[in-house]
Amino acid sequence: MLKKHLGQHLLVSKGVLEKIADQLEIEKEDKGVEIGGGTGNLTREILKRGPSKVWVLEVDKDMIRELLKIEDPRLEVLEADASEFDFCSLGEGLKVVGNLPYNVASLILERIVFSHRCVRRAVLMFQKEVAEKIIKGDSWMGAFVQFFFEVKYLMSVPARFFIPPPKVVSGLIRLESKGTQNIDPYALKRFLVRIFSQRKKKIGKKLPESIIRRAGLSPDLRVHEIDLEGLRKLFLVSYRVDDDRGDNNVGQS
Ligand code: SAH
């Protein structure tokens, strides 16, 4: 029995499973992490590509039992909640993949961003509108991801390719690490959540004008009109002020 509350929609299209695995571009010695292994459809496809190690995170004991039937010394099944997982605990240069449980997909993505130093590439299935939002980058989450990863929309996947079919169309995206970023993701998250709240308000109402000017921007802009580079400058200027003054509330939620 599949459990709806765990987002169990198994991907049964061979073509889509292959495409996901191909997009990880696995080379020998690569280490992979699969989120939500289910019955192992995608796990098997990943193992075929020749990684040296694959960890699978899964919360459901029934699914774990299925996954343990795959006899492969490279595979390690972990009973772990991906929405609370520290990916860096598994090493660096990881290639992460998952047909994500949609109810916790955003939380899982957040964990991946917090572990950005250890994740080289990720190929992830979301519900399509969430995938599109991440690509557009005009939400706190989209911007958050793009501070650390190049993002690419790979394809839409219709509901009929899953068992049982979800109510929504799905979208597959790829994240590619931008390399080391000297940015504290926790401070960045607080900053982005704050400036993306009440989107219609001009940023002049959210941040001190001196900071906005120092970032080379106008206080009349609305947050969605500022590109990633502008957001980066704004964050760096705010954060530095934050550091200097200690008690300044800029960048805090
Ligand atoms: N990879 C399989 C299954 C995808 S369904 C396939 O593509 O066919 C999503 C899977 O994520 C389910 O097996 C579900 O039990 C698991 N899951 C749900 N919440 C999870 C969480 N918080 N952490 C890890 N796995 C989770």
Side-chain angles (χ1 to χ4, degrees):
M1 253 320 264
L2 292 169
K3 302 180 182 91
K4 209 174 162 187
H5 72 280
L6 289 176
Q8 293 180 346
H9 297 278
L10 306 184
L11 195 45
V12 288
S13 155
K14 183 85 177 148
V16 177
L17 289 164
E18 284 175 353
K19 169 99 180 179
I20 296 174
D22 286 346
Q23 282 293 332
L24 271 182
E25 293 179 21
I26 291 171
E27 293 159 28
K28 290 242 177 325
E29 302 312 312
D30 270 351
K31 295 185 163 79
V33 186
E34 190 195 349
I35 298 165
T39 53
N41 297 342
L42 185 54
T43 319
R44 289 185 183 85
E45 226 25 82
I46 304 294
L47 285 166
K48 270 191 214 162
R49 304 279 185 295
S52 62
K53 176 88 193 177
V54 175
W55 290 275
V56 181
L57 312 183
E58 180 56 69
V59 283
D60 183 7
K61 290 207 162 55
D62 294 333
M63 291 304 190
I64 288 176
R65 211 169 303 126
E66 288 299 313
L67 288 163
L68 289 172
K69 289 181 188 163
I70 304 175
E71 284 183 28
D72 191 309
R74 296 169 297 166
L75 180 65
E76 193 173 331
V77 181
L78 302 176
E79 183 172 359
D81 180 342
S83 69
E84 295 178 352
F85 195 73
D86 173 13
F87 289 85
C88 292
S89 66
L90 300 177
E92 290 181 353
L94 303 172
K95 293 194 172 169
V96 177
V97 66
N99 166 27
L100 299 181
Y102 294 158
N103 50 342
V104 285
S106 297
L107 282 176
I108 293 173
L109 179 61
E110 230 181 274
R111 294 321 308 173
I112 292 174
V113 179
F114 285 134
S115 302
H116 65 93
R117 276 195 191 80
C118 313
V119 177
R120 184 149 127 234
R121 181 174 298 151
V123 177
L124 304 168
M125 185 89 78
F126 290 88
Q127 90 183 54
K128 185 179 179 183
E129 44 181 65
V130 175
E132 285 174 342
K133 231 170 128 179
I134 296 160
I135 300 292
K136 261 176 111 184
D138 64 347
S139 58
W140 83 261
M141 183 52 117
F144 189 47
V145 173
Q146 293 189 29
F147 263 77
F148 303 100
F149 296 96
E150 299 287 352
V151 296
K152 188 174 169 201
Y153 192 85
L154 298 175
M155 63 173 173
S156 303
V157 182
R160 66 171 188 278
F161 290 152
F162 300 84
I163 291 178
K167 289 207 177 70
V168 292
V169 176
S170 298
L172 186 68
I173 65 170
R174 170 165 154 154
L175 315 182
E176 192 78 35
S177 170
K178 289 185 172 176
T180 312
Q181 304 289 319
N182 194 15
I183 285 178
D184 171 7
Y186 295 91
L188 178 64
K189 179 188 165 183
R190 286 197 300 273
F191 173 78
L192 290 174
V193 166
R194 186 174 125 91
I195 65 162
F196 274 97
S197 68
Q198 299 182 283
R199 311 165 49 87
K200 289 192 182 134
K201 262 198 192 170
K202 296 175 178 176
I203 53 161
K205 298 248 188 257
K206 300 176 184 178
L207 294 169
E209 186 170 337
S210 60
I211 286 186
I212 300 168
R213 297 272 182 219
R214 239 189 294 162
L217 298 169
S218 154
D220 289 331
L221 289 170
R222 290 171 174 86
V223 66
H224 60 270
E225 296 167 329
I226 305 174
D227 65 9
L228 196 64
E229 202 34 51
L231 289 174
R232 181 188 301 278
K233 284 186 192 142
L234 208 49
F235 171 68
L236 291 175
V237 174
S238 312
Y239 195 51
R240 238 167 260 148
V241 170
D242 217 19
D243 279 352
D244 295 348
R245 295 190 198 163
D247 62 353
N248 187 298
N249 70 356
V250 173
Q252 298 192 355
S253 51

